[in-house]
Amino acid sequence: MLIWKGTEQFLKNSKIRVIKRISYHLVEYLIKKSELHIPRDTIILCQGGGNFGDLYMEHQNLRKLLVKNFPEHKIVILPQTIYYNDLKGMVKDFEIFSKHKNLHLYVRDQISYKQVKFHI
């Protein structure tokens, strides 16, 4: 909850206008129905929280859905610690993320940074 509150305060202090906040379930539903339309000049922001990897698949699947379905958008993924139990799954995920031409992934520790630099 504190990460979300900090993100909201940062957006407010930076005078960044948030157009819409959407949950994973709604994004997944709208993408499946081809009803999620985001203007190209809109930045897609994914909140941080240390859930990048295979421990919290709901969050990871959301990011993969966005990256696959919005290849022309700038996507920003806020501070993450990267953790995988399954190395093959990690390689598959990084293959997906590395194909996006305007993806910005911010990590919060050196171990995660080294993983990203190695795979992307």
Side-chain angles (χ1 to χ4, degrees), residues 23-112:
S23 71
Y24 166 77
H25 300 291
L26 184 57
V27 168
E28 181 181 43
Y29 173 79
L30 293 173
I31 286 176
K32 284 181 180 178
K33 295 188 71 150
S34 298
E35 294 180 5
L36 183 58
H37 305 286
I38 301 173
R40 275 199 181 165
D41 63 343
T42 301
I43 298 169
I44 299 171
L45 176 70
C46 296
Q47 182 176 322
N51 54 27
F52 194 102
D54 59 9
L55 289 178
Y56 303 97
M57 291 307 298
E58 185 173 273
H59 301 285
Q60 190 70 354
N61 289 336
L62 169 63
R63 288 186 284 268
K64 290 190 286 188
L65 271 174
L66 292 170
V67 165
K68 288 177 184 177
N69 286 278
F70 297 97
E72 302 299 319
H73 288 72
K74 181 176 187 175
I75 298 177
V76 177
I77 301 173
L78 291 179
Q80 295 291 333
T81 296
I82 297 172
Y83 180 82
Y84 283 87
N85 283 314
D86 177 20
L87 294 180
K88 289 179 185 176
M90 179 174 67
V91 170
K92 286 181 185 178
D93 280 2
F94 280 116
E95 283 177 18
I96 293 167
F97 291 114
S98 67
K99 290 178 183 173
H100 196 282
K101 293 179 178 24
N102 201 359
L103 177 68
H104 304 269
L105 171 61
Y106 295 89
V107 297
R108 59 185 179 187
D109 58 79
Q110 286 297 313
I111 294 169
S112 297

